[in-house]
Amino acid sequence: MAARSAAAQSPDPLIVEPQPWAQGLGDGVDVTPYGLPIRFEQDVVRRNVPWLTADTISSINFTPIHALDGTITPQGCAFERHHSGAIELSKQDYRLMVNGLVDRPLVFTYADLERFPRENHVYFCECAANSGMEWAGAQLNGAQFTHGMIHNMEYTGVPLRLLLEEAGYDPAGKWVYVEGADASSNGRSIPMDKALDDVLVAFKANGEALRKEHGYPVRLVVPGWEGNLWVKWLRRIEVTDAPVESREETSKYTDTLADGSSRKWTWAMDAKSVITAPSPQSPVPHEAGPLVITGLAWSGRGAITRVDVSTDGGASWQTARLAQKGTPMALSRFYLDVQWDGTEMLLQSRAMDDTGYVQPTKTQLRAVRGLNSVYHNNGIQTWWLHADGSVENVEVS
Amino acid sequence: MAARSAAAQSPDPLIVEPQPWAQGLGDGVDVTPYGLPIRFEQDVVRRNVPWLTADTISSINFTPIHALDGTITPQGCAFERHHSGAIELSKQDYRLMVNGLVDRPLVFTYADLERFPRENHVYFCECAANSGMEWAGAQLNGAQFTHGMIHNMEYTGVPLRLLLEEAGYDPAGKWVYVEGADASSNGRSIPMDKALDDVLVAFKANGEALRKEHGYPVRLVVPGWEGNLWVKWLRRIEVTDAPVESREETSKYTDTLADGSSRKWTWAMDAKSVITAPSPQSPVPHEAGPLVITGLAWSGRGAITRVDVSTDGGASWQTARLAQKGTPMALSRFYLDVQWDGTEMLLQSRAMDDTGYVQPTKTQLRAVRGLNSVYHNNGIQTWWLHADGSVENVEVS
Amino acid sequence: APFGLGRAALPEEIAAWDVDVLPDGRGLPEGQGNVLTGEAIFTDKCAACHGDFAEGRGNWPALAGGQDMLADADPVKTVGSYWPHLSTSFDYIRRSMPYGDAGTLTADEVYALVAYILYSNDLVAEEFTLSKNNFAAVQMPNADGFLRDDRDTMELPRWQVAPCMEDCKESVNVTMRALSLDVTPKDAAPATVPQQTPVANVEPASEP
Amino acid sequence: APFGLGRAALPEEIAAWDVDVLPDGRGLPEGQGNVLTGEAIFTDKCAACHGDFAEGRGNWPALAGGQDMLADADPVKTVGSYWPHLSTSFDYIRRSMPYGDAGTLTADEVYALVAYILYSNDLVAEEFTLSKNNFAAVQMPNADGFLRDDRDTMELPRWQVAPCMEDCKESVNVTMRALSLDVTPKDAAPATVPQQTPVANVEPASEP
Ligand code: HEC
Ligand code: HEC
Ligand SMILES: [Ca+2]
Ligand SMILES: [Ca+2]
Ligand SMILES: [Ca+2]
Ligand SMILES: [Ca+2]
Ligand SMILES: [Ca+2]
Ligand SMILES: [Ca+2]
Ligand SMILES: [Co+2]
Ligand SMILES: [Co+2]
């Protein structure tokens, strides 16, 4: 164990001198009707990677997971992915159509939706491309960039099932096609079983209205499944007998294997985890001694049951502490409280879910999928913590 | 049941005409590194009541609970209560002292705190004065004003117990005095049992740093107990053999009964609930037919187990649906999905917790406490819903 | 200690922050001050908010008056009428007042201000000098006015009962309406409210 | 219907929004367009981003090329090399392109553009005219290239096993370092990073 820091040589002026905040008056309760983070936290923001896409409008940014703790993601810094930009659509201008293989094609206003029974659930939303840049190897030096295409919010919405029942869906309709009001429309086909199971037509996240960039006023929530299915600015739901095979489910969000064939309909997000601190953007600011290793774990197939942490690049593992019992399709926070000896470590985390799935290594994944994947990289991440406290993104044998 | 709205006479231009949001491009991912609500939601903000206090600096504002759903309160609109304003205190300037009946008086930096084991919990924070203006009768026309001195967040922090153990607290110290770095210091005495039980020294709320107005960088979290104990900008923790009987625990936050004697140390927040919609600021925008009645329930003594709703001013009750199983000292959301016949209703909700406590009526409360109370008004709230959909705050016999 | 974190607090540091004063007088600094000195300081630094005689001004707190009315409707609660311990005044004034310039008063000034507030409450004579030594001797009128939270015995047995579900009331009448009081901030009022007759008179309650 | 909410959708409304085109051609409007017409429109409205020959420009997507290289390293995935159904091009272009001015193309223009993209991919001759009638006859090279998600059978049995806890590896070596690639946005880079030698060459991967 590290020795406690020596007593200060002389009294700390921050304690023994009068300080302005202890003498004067701060802000009144009328100063920020809607508040933002304090200016000292200005680095805790979404960031994008300019070289990744042709422009910022059909692009993505990243949640600053390296600087967050707990499990809830504030909407203000929750990652965004748009295919034709974040549009502005008012509740008054909002319409939702349900058509196709239904008894009664219907149009709903926003106010209509608020009259259906609602549910509340915390779910993660992960872009299928999260960690995608890392298929080629260690590329981006920060958990925000390698694993930040994820957020986790408490959603309030109407079960999609209720809207399908309202229109009288035909049991011959095996698929539900959903699309948004933006120019991309981002159409996706969802099997009817999932649509009737746990999909929500959501209008609130973390208690308040969805933000513009997350689909205000209404988005789809598709628990455990890739974020591209979570259609924003939802405008139409069509019951069909076949998938539409839209651009988003053929050209994109398919997974090309080593032999050149490609998987389609890879909806579920595999169990995954990442250490958020220490990490390249969250170096260790202290010497040897007590160190909190923390991170996030999640699974699209159910609840996280266990997370292991390795400090030696996967040679040996210790089971971390889950902050709370895992719940289905939601982020879990884990902690491992260690005594750091001040020497370098190769940090890894490994998630397990209630189906018994154990997060694989990148090597294991590449052995099955080859090297041409873009999406669904849930391989174990390695951070190299150096003796000086700095951390870098590496891969290990 | 209401008849479905008639089909439109002519096609809705919002559907059949091209719309700008479906043609052009929206915002790119670099537009809002940290986002705010869309402009259409500009009414969903904290509000204060100017006549309530001499100035806005020692004052309170109110969470817009009438417009929120789910249970998490976004930090940006979570109520504030300051005694000398919201101060700006950086992590670099932050110091926390533990002294008094301890083996080793200690000073911690912010970075030191991040090296202790952390916990995560969702808890409500309710000002003891919430609904206080209603002791005198129905006064403020909106759930935001009558019940909005509450918020509910996921906190990340270090158990206070660990800091007390670090300093080596003397078992003879039956109390812990806590105070903040602002000019008010807002000192409070907490019994050692509670301090060792579930109190957190918290630095994150809903995943990110505490906001300035909620005590950045460090505040106390005292689950289930009145908000005044949740000291912001926490600077000192002293183990004592007796309560300090500070201004905040004698002049304020005491409860004067009918005979002129006053209760002190009324820490726990009694079980309580309120219908958030319909409510005066959330009138019913539609005719007869399906109507969602929703609200919040909480208890400082444990978890909410049940909420009943009355539509006839308390003559009869129906058990509402809890969105999720209640958890200790956290908000629960309830829903009652009704078929409104379009006539007036007197809406009430009644919370029950896992101690078997049933939320009393205001009449029952006044019978025990008299008419001079300021704090701890957990009486059943009545909203009068009129046939035109408007709602007002009333009391009933 | 299990973690070895933090550093030892220096005595000067503890002295700087550990300034609380307990009901038994522990924590009081050396010093003294009399009513007339206190009056002068009060006029200079306090009266703008609290009134010349500590009687309060507008919505700013009254520090004097209100004695023997705690059982009446809307009692005025002041240092004199309500506060059980004199230590609380010394502690609070020293650390938090004057509002906007806290922590600037010397110990002697605080003794003098507390003496003046006692005088304004008719609790000491004009000649009175307050000091560390005679602090404990001052009698506070409401010293015995506080009892420990007794909700567990007084209230819980009443409320921990099976809730009524049907025929809970003979009749229900509206007895009070917030609209007739009209104190809700206007910008937050609902768009349309019905026109109806006031039912009862109500009043703003005190601050949170 | 249980709730009676919403209103009947009018046929014109359904027609306006229900424009998806399925692989079997359902949803195609009447119309036609040939390669040369398509080339002219493409040059005018598309080539600025996608290149004169639909070969892509900078980071903007290529729509042609890449055939027969899906099993090679870093395959170029285009309408010609990758897309299994021609319907997808019609559907997507009609609703979403040109980027910034979506929904402005007539059915005939979309047929012509799709014909031109087929031509750019060497899948039809310069004289080709695409119409609703011959749409289904076009062969897409990668039509059989997709299989249904088989992770349940291919992967889950491998990963649903007891995790190793001790002596899981003989040795551990760093094989790749992001720092040597240096593609992390600079404003987000950590304050201090150690100076060390690159270990391996890595490359930016494709867009999310
Ligand atoms: C600019 C206005 C202002 C000035 C000047 C001021 N005060 Fe105050 N005082 C306040 C306010 C506001 C409060 C209530 C603060 C709060 O809500 O926590 C208060 C509270 C008090 C209280 C506690 C009242 C109670 O009932 O709890 C005392 C005692 C007090 N002041 C004494 C003084 C003294 C002595 C001075 C001068 C040395 C002084 N004040 C100067 C504004 C002022
Ligand atoms: C201003 C730039 C721009 C113009 C002009 C433009 N496009 Fe695009 N196009 C894009 C972008 C950006 C995307 C990718 C959008 C996304 O990420 O969802 C795209 C995607 C496409 C795709 C799908 C590519 C794939 O691999 O999935 C097709 C097909 C396409 N465009 C055809 C056209 C046609 C035909 C036109 C002209 C009528 C056109 N585009 C004009 C920018 C443009
Ligand atoms: Ca170091
Ligand atoms: Ca009406
Ligand atoms: Ca002390
Ligand atoms: Ca009163
Ligand atoms: Ca269709
Ligand atoms: Ca590659
Ligand atoms: Co997929
Ligand atoms: Co209390």
Side-chain angles (χ1 to χ4, degrees), chain A residues 284-287 340 387-389:
Chain A
V284 177
H286 55 75
E287 305 302 310
W340 183 37
D388 70 354

Side-chain angles (χ1 to χ4, degrees), chain A residues 46-62:
Chain A
R46 300 187 275 234
R47 287 179 196 277
N48 64 313
V49 174
W51 55 257
L52 206 58
T53 50
D55 69 0
T56 57
I57 291 168
S58 174
S59 192
I60 195 148
N61 60 23
F62 302 84

Side-chain angles (χ1 to χ4, degrees), chain B residues 41-121:
Chain B
E41 299 291 312
Q42 66 196 5
D43 282 346
V44 185
V45 291
R46 300 187 275 234
R47 287 179 197 277
N48 64 311
V49 174
W51 54 258
L52 206 57
T53 51
D55 69 359
T56 58
I57 291 169
S58 173
S59 191
I60 195 147
N61 60 24
F62 302 85
T63 307
I65 56 169
H66 65 287
L68 303 181
D69 209 317
T71 63
I72 291 291
T73 315
Q75 287 206 75
C77 63
F79 87 97
E80 308 165 59
R81 187 357 171 180
H82 317 301
H83 286 270
S84 46
I87 63 167
E88 186 177 273
L89 177 57
S90 73
K91 288 176 178 171
Q92 287 72 31
D93 288 345
Y94 180 79
R95 297 291 181 274
L96 176 62
M97 182 184 289
V98 181
N99 75 312
L101 299 173
V102 298
D103 294 337
R104 298 167 294 276
L106 295 174
V107 172
F108 298 108
T109 62
Y110 179 82
D112 290 334
L113 293 182
E114 285 200 336
R115 301 177 71 179
F116 284 94
R118 291 171 216 162
E119 294 187 5
N120 290 178
H121 298 275

